[in-house]
Amino acid sequence: MIKIATLLILLLSVTMCFSQSVKKNGQLSVNGTQLVNEQGKAVVLRGVSFGWHNWWPRFYNEETVNWLVDDWNCTILRAAMGVEPKKAYLSKPKFALKKMEAVIDAAIEKDIYVIIDWHAHELNTEAAKIFFAQMAQKYGSNPHVIYEIFNEPVHDSWEEVKAYSIEVIDAIREYDSNNVILVGNPHWDQDVHLVADNPIEGKSNIMYTLHYYASTHKEYLRERGDYAINKGIPIFISECAGMKADGDSELDYDEWQKWIDWAEERKISWITWSIADKDETCSMLYKKASSKGNWKDEHIKESGLRTKEYLLKYNK
Ligand code: CA
């Protein structure tokens, strides 16, 4: 009996370790290029992104959040709110908020970090300001929340994205003075070198996103990342995966490993794309996977299995 009790306590403490990520690290901030916890120590968050809420809403629930924390060791999740497609935020805002809040509330309850991701490819400045002001008002007192204000600019210049970002940051800061804000940059978050040459000034706790798909983006993008870091730019990998940028090709395990090593050596947080069941290699689940977690290996595609392996290894 004593042995069983000891085992139970051990199991419980292992589970608590991931589910109490926020209790352990508290209010995050940015010191130089590093994300740090409330005690000022470097913190590296690792997790997964949900797919577009408008196409894969079935996973936006508390059970999936809990499963990704308890079984995959995620210390952060990213809720990706589709903005522009049909039935996404701009045309169905109530549905979008309902799905986003289900994940955000569950993540807070589970005491992990959560990214509120404006999953857009074009500028929608006024709508973004209204949305983020609302989110900051509702969630800004929770240390769990990180705002990602522009997933992946495609057509806009850095000057345009920069001007947009300053407006949205100001809208958030009216209600939330300190939570971390992630800023995008041109060409699907690959132009961090442009950010480095002309960064946003006078704002605290902001980081810049770098996205990679390992089979397309290789050494040259890591070099851009280093160029930016060396110029004082804090980097957060809010989206990445191991195949080509089309999201549907074979995994390049060697390049993916190089990226993981690159991020780990630099204490950069990373999030893999995505919890979805589309017929493509970057969607980590098969259609037979339950909407509420409890997935076995047979429900998870290659990309999901490797992601889970990385999370179990690094989020110890
Ligand atoms: Ca706050």
Side-chain angles (χ1 to χ4, degrees):
M1 276 310 281
I2 293 167
K3 274 185 181 169
I4 291 170
T6 313
L7 193 68
L8 279 173
I9 290 166
L10 268 173
L11 274 173
L12 194 66
S13 58
V14 167
T15 310
M16 304 267 277
C17 158
F18 309 113
S19 61
Q20 298 197 336
S21 181
V22 180
K23 191 177 182 189
K24 187 176 142 205
N25 290 303
Q27 182 71 46
L28 301 173
S29 62
V30 182
N31 183 4
T33 58
Q34 183 61 53
L35 183 66
V36 297
N37 67 15
E38 202 162 313
Q39 292 78 42
K41 284 190 181 152
V43 57
V44 182
L45 300 172
R46 307 173 189 86
V48 294
S49 179
F50 286 80
W52 300 72
H53 90 278
N54 48 297
W55 286 311
W56 293 281
R58 75 180 184 96
F59 298 112
Y60 279 70
N61 57 65
E62 183 184 6
E63 291 86 350
T64 293
V65 168
N66 291 343
W67 185 257
L68 288 168
V69 178
D70 293 335
D71 197 58
W72 291 39
N73 287 9
C74 291
T75 54
I76 185 167
L77 293 171
R78 177 179 187 242
M81 189 181 73
V83 175
E84 290 128 349
K86 270 185 193 169
K87 298 186 181 175
Y89 176 76
L90 293 179
S91 52
K92 288 188 84 177
K94 273 188 190 163
F95 178 73
L97 287 176
K98 194 177 150 206
K99 291 291 133 188
M100 291 297 282
E101 286 172 0
V103 169
I104 299 163
D105 292 344
I108 291 171
E109 183 66 26
K110 197 70 174 163
D111 219 28
I112 59 152
Y113 294 95
V114 60
I115 296 179
I116 302 177
D117 165 32
W118 181 257
H119 209 73
H121 287 303
E122 308 292 340
L123 285 171
N124 300 276
T125 310
E126 290 313 308
K129 281 162 68 177
I130 291 167
F131 170 76
F132 280 107
Q134 196 181 343
M135 289 293 106
Q137 205 167 2
K138 181 161 185 182
Y139 292 113
S141 61
N142 293 286
H144 313 74
V145 166
I146 294 173
Y147 310 94
E148 182 170 3
I149 59 177
F150 195 166
N151 163 47
E152 287 183 348
V154 179
H155 302 107
D156 305 295
S157 68
W158 167 236
E159 286 67 29
E160 288 165 320
V161 175
K162 183 182 175 182
Y164 160 89
S165 300
I166 291 168
E167 283 196 55
V168 181
I169 291 167
D170 288 345
I172 292 172
R173 290 291 182 242
E174 280 218 19
Y175 300 101
D176 181 354
S177 62
N178 56 357
N179 285 33
V180 171
I181 300 174
L182 305 180
V183 174
N185 56 79
H187 300 107
W188 305 274
D189 296 340
Q190 283 146 44
D191 289 354
V192 285
H193 59 302
L194 300 181
V195 172
D197 293 340
N198 180 19
I200 293 171
E201 307 281 357
K203 309 286 179 196
S204 59
N205 296 336
I206 65 169
M207 304 183 84
Y208 297 88
T209 46
L210 182 156
H211 290 181
Y212 72 79
Y213 285 79
S215 186
T216 299
H217 311 116
K218 302 185 178 180
E219 192 60 27
Y220 77 94
L221 191 54
R222 289 188 288 273
E223 282 170 7
R224 275 187 191 179
D226 281 331
Y227 174 80
I229 293 164
N230 290 334
K231 291 191 96 171
I233 299 300
I235 300 281
F236 195 111
I237 300 174
S238 60
E239 200 183 296
C240 62
M243 69 298 302
K244 283 197 187 358
D246 64 2
D248 189 24
S249 52
E250 281 180 28
L251 302 176
D252 186 335
Y253 283 112
D254 288 344
E255 279 297 328
W256 196 358
Q257 185 63 55
K258 281 182 196 171
W259 271 108
I260 294 284
D261 292 343
W262 184 84
E264 291 297 331
E265 279 162 18
R266 287 155 184 76
K267 294 190 167 62
I268 294 173
S269 298
W270 55 263
I271 289 179
T272 313
W273 178 262
S274 72
I275 295 300
D277 65 1
K278 190 180 177 180
D279 189 16
E280 60 178 6
T281 54
C282 75
S283 285
M284 292 194 249
L285 299 168
Y286 288 109
K287 295 208 188 300
K288 63 184 175 184
S290 155
S291 299
K292 301 195 167 178
N294 204 22
W295 311 312
K296 299 188 170 57
D297 284 0
E298 70 196 65
H299 302 116
I300 308 172
K301 288 185 216 160
E302 219 182 316
S303 174
L305 290 172
R306 177 52 66 101
T307 297
K308 188 178 166 187
E309 235 176 78
Y310 279 139
L311 291 167
L312 295 179
K313 178 178 173 185
Y314 290 105
N315 276 345
K316 271 190 276 201

